[in-house]
Structures are given as structure tokens and as C-alpha cells.
Amino acid sequence: KIAGVFLVEPEAQRDDRGSFSRIFCARAFADAGIVFTTVQINLSGNAKRHTLRGMHYQDPPFAEAKFVRAVRGRAFDVVVDLRKGSATERRWVAVLLDSRAMNGVFVPEGCAHGFLTLEDDTDILYQMGRAYVEGHAKGVRWNDPAFSIKWPADPAVIAERDANYPDYGRS
């Protein structure tokens, strides 16, 4: 629904030992038209259900593409298109990230990203296409009426910064 956002679902190979899944392949990404090199990997540990992190992004020239998945637990993951002039500007898509499914979502540059955990002890792994640059982190509010994101619940845990971003267009 948003150009450049891709859901990735690995195919597990199963036998008596358990399973084996390739969860990232640069060649498969390139075959799908995604040029992505991982330069940094981050892990977000979240102790409590309904922890909300987001909606984060960095502006050009520091814009970040990222490939995100739950490695423990489940999360309602949201991507908002903030690219000026995009046919889908201000639209959002959501994906249920589930560590048992090992699915992931690719978030292109120019999009804000965030998630709401659906279980206690949910860990989210980020493969980043660009390293974090101090002083260039930005965000839009999770409940900004400019986007009308339909979250499955209100956050029980949220950083003050994330709760108080200004309305979109006023940051």
C-alpha cells in the first residue's frame, strides 16, 4: 500500500532437529528491487505489553532505511509515509510482527516507523541501512490526527518524547 514497504515472510525448512530459516538475503532483496546494506543492528527490548516506541525517522541526508522483525514476542508495527509529494504521503500500513513467524518489514527512507508490543518481553531487531546520527532523530506523534492510525490499544508504556511530538507539519 506504500511504495517501498515490503513484508518479508521466510520459508522455514523443518526436520527432526527443528527448523532453519533464512531471514535476510541481500540477493533476494535486490531481485525485488531493494538495494539495502546493513551497517548497524539494533535490538529494542520491551518488558511490558503495550509498550509503544515511535514514530521515528531521520530527515535527508541522514534518512534511514530499516528491516525490522520481532525476535521474541509480537508487535503491531506501523510505517507512515512522510515523503513529500509521494502518492501515499501521510498514509500508514501496519504489520503484525511475530517471532514465531519470523516475518519482517522493510521500511524505506522517508517513512516514520514505530510499534506497539502485544506481549510482555517483546524484542524487536532492526537492521539499519544507515547508522544513527546524533541530533537528527525526529518523530511524529503516535496518535496524530494527520494519520489516524488505528492502534489495537492505547500505550501503557511510552517515552515522554514519543507522547509529545508536535502535530505533523509543525515539527
Side-chain angles (χ1 to χ4, degrees), residues 111-160:
C111 292
H113 171 260
F115 62 84
L116 179 74
T117 62
L118 300 176
E119 300 177 2
D120 288 347
D121 300 318
T122 294
D123 295 337
I124 305 296
L125 184 79
Y126 292 72
Q127 289 176 245
M128 305 298 295
R130 180 165 309 192
Y132 170 77
V133 180
E134 183 83 29
H136 293 280
K138 293 190 174 186
V140 294
R141 201 174 59 256
W142 69 279
N143 60 351
D144 189 321
F147 312 116
S148 299
I149 299 168
K150 293 178 180 30
W151 297 94
D154 286 342
V157 180
I158 186 171
E160 185 176 332

Side-chain angles (χ1 to χ4, degrees), residues 10-15 17-22:
E11 295 179 17
Q13 306 299 314
R14 299 186 188 285
D15 62 23
R17 299 168 293 174
S19 66
F20 181 86
S21 298
R22 179 174 50 182

Side-chain angles (χ1 to χ4, degrees), residues 32-102:
I34 306 169
V35 179
F36 181 69
T37 303
T38 300
V39 299
Q40 181 175 305
I41 298 176
N42 304 324
L43 182 65
S44 171
N46 304 277
K48 298 292 182 190
R49 177 179 183 235
H50 294 159
T51 295
L52 192 139
R53 293 189 188 239
M55 302 292 297
H56 303 142
Y57 68 98
Q58 289 190 165
D59 274 336
F62 306 105
E64 306 164 311
K66 54 190 88 166
F67 183 42
V68 184
R69 74 170 18 87
V71 293
R72 183 168 66 154
R74 294 181 315 126
F76 182 82
D77 196 89
V78 176
V79 179
V80 176
D81 189 348
L82 299 180
R83 297 171 290 191
K84 300 289 184 206
S86 166
T88 55
E89 184 181 357
R90 294 188 182 195
R91 290 192 194 158
W92 60 276
V93 293
V95 174
L96 175 62
L97 297 181
D98 187 327
S99 62
R100 291 166 290 284
M102 288 304 293

